[in-house]
Amino acid sequence: MRKIEKKGRGQTSLLLGLLALVIILMISLRYCSRPPGGAEKIRQPSGGDTVDVAISYSPMTLYRYADTLGGFSYDMLRLIAATGNFEFKFHPVTSMEQALEGLGTGLYDLVVADIAKTAGLDSSFEYTEDVYLDKQVLVQPKDSAGLMAVSSQLDLGGKEVWVEAASPALTRLKHLSEEMGDTIMVRTDNQYNSEQLFIMTALGEIPMAVVNELVARKLAPDYPSVDISTGISFTQFQSWITRASDRKLLDSLNAAISRFKSTGQYETLVNRYK
């Protein structure tokens, strides 16, 4: 699938990229290990009992609020770690594709992103117990009268729609295109996550995008010219991903997630981020 054409896009894409880079660098400097003496070296898995977590930058995973880091999954993992059964080391990543590649090579043990629990996951990976519920929505511009190009899924035929690389939305749009008997021109770029695609849609850099609803709802108040009312999927379980071969970690995480979901802390998190 083709990359975003830089020519004619203005400086907005460049600014978005620089903003994301600055945020990732700030977080990485604070939460990731540094080689002794400042020397550069290839990062290796932490080893021991440390769980290396590839976590994407998103309002529902990892986000900076003023001087504090937050995000539903980030907060949940820290609360689980507080029980003393896990030691998590966070590695911010810019895309699902990058995270899954690192998981496959053993650099990471757990991938945390906006991930719908759907069929089609590579057999070398495994979903954890579901963490929360979400669904996919269409992000598109609307005019001053509140009108937009797509009012239902059936209007997507012949339209260009952007999604994050390796997102489960790719499978959903493929099936939708087959059901409609019409082509949906799905575009991806592994440089951009869901939040950036939302902003690029709002700024007119791309025509429309599909992202998770909870992400869209967090961003929408700052971009009143964007509509997020058109659902693309049914409500889906959202999960994290481990290697299928790491059964011990998967079973331990599933037990920890199940226990945590029965607590008042979990309800507090859900109410904070919904």
Side-chain angles (χ1 to χ4, degrees), residues 15-250:
L15 293 174
L16 284 169
L18 290 173
L19 174 62
L21 178 61
V22 168
I23 293 169
I24 293 298
L25 287 174
M26 289 172 63
I27 297 172
S28 297
L29 287 172
R30 183 174 178 180
Y31 288 94
C32 299
S33 60
R34 302 174 185 174
E40 294 293 333
K41 70 175 182 179
I42 298 174
R43 183 156 47 84
Q44 300 292 328
S46 298
D49 295 328
T50 300
V51 178
D52 286 302
V53 182
I55 185 166
S56 69
Y57 182 74
S58 157
M60 287 302 291
T61 51
L62 177 67
Y63 208 78
R64 178 174 289 277
Y65 300 90
D67 294 327
T68 305
L69 290 178
F72 183 94
S73 294
Y74 175 76
D75 288 344
M76 183 169 168
L77 282 167
R78 291 191 67 188
L79 289 168
I80 288 175
T83 65
N85 295 324
F86 291 94
E87 181 181 347
F88 296 117
K89 184 174 182 180
F90 296 97
H91 304 274
V93 293
T94 57
S95 72
M96 269 283 291
E97 197 170 55
Q98 173 192 356
L100 291 176
E101 180 181 351
L103 183 64
T105 61
L107 181 61
Y108 308 124
D109 303 304
L110 178 66
V111 169
V112 174
D114 301 315
I115 308 167
K117 195 173 186 178
T118 62
L121 185 68
D122 188 292
S123 60
S124 62
F125 302 136
E126 187 77 35
Y127 290 113
T128 66
E129 171 82 11
D130 57 277
V131 180
Y132 60 93
L133 294 172
D134 205 347
K135 67 178 183 180
Q136 296 155 2
V137 297
L138 184 72
V139 181
Q140 62 176 323
K142 60 184 178 182
D143 63 22
S144 57
L147 300 177
M148 52 270 188
V150 175
S151 58
S152 76
Q153 296 177 5
L154 296 177
D155 296 331
L156 285 173
K159 300 293 193 301
E160 180 181 309
V161 182
W162 285 81
V163 300
E164 184 178 356
S167 166
L170 287 166
T171 301
R172 172 56 188 154
L173 289 171
K174 177 184 177 182
H175 290 166
L176 182 58
S177 181
E178 292 170 352
E179 292 166 10
M180 293 166 47
D182 201 350
T183 300
I184 301 173
M185 295 180 288
V186 182
R187 312 298 187 197
T188 67
D189 191 310
N190 58 17
Q191 298 180 61
Y192 301 107
N193 61 22
S194 293
E195 181 183 25
Q196 290 169 302
L197 293 178
F198 182 105
I199 295 172
M200 293 171 74
T201 301
L203 298 178
E205 294 289 305
I206 57 177
M208 58 190 70
V210 171
V211 306
N212 278 16
E213 183 181 36
L214 291 176
V215 171
R217 283 168 56 184
K218 289 289 184 182
L219 298 171
D222 293 328
Y223 299 93
S225 63
V226 166
D227 177 82
I228 61 171
S229 65
T230 302
I232 298 299
S233 73
F234 296 110
T235 299
Q236 300 169 314
F237 293 115
Q238 307 292 308
S239 301
W240 305 328
I241 295 178
T242 66
R243 286 185 299 279
S245 60
D246 197 349
R247 200 72 215 180
K248 181 179 178 181
L249 175 61
L250 179 61

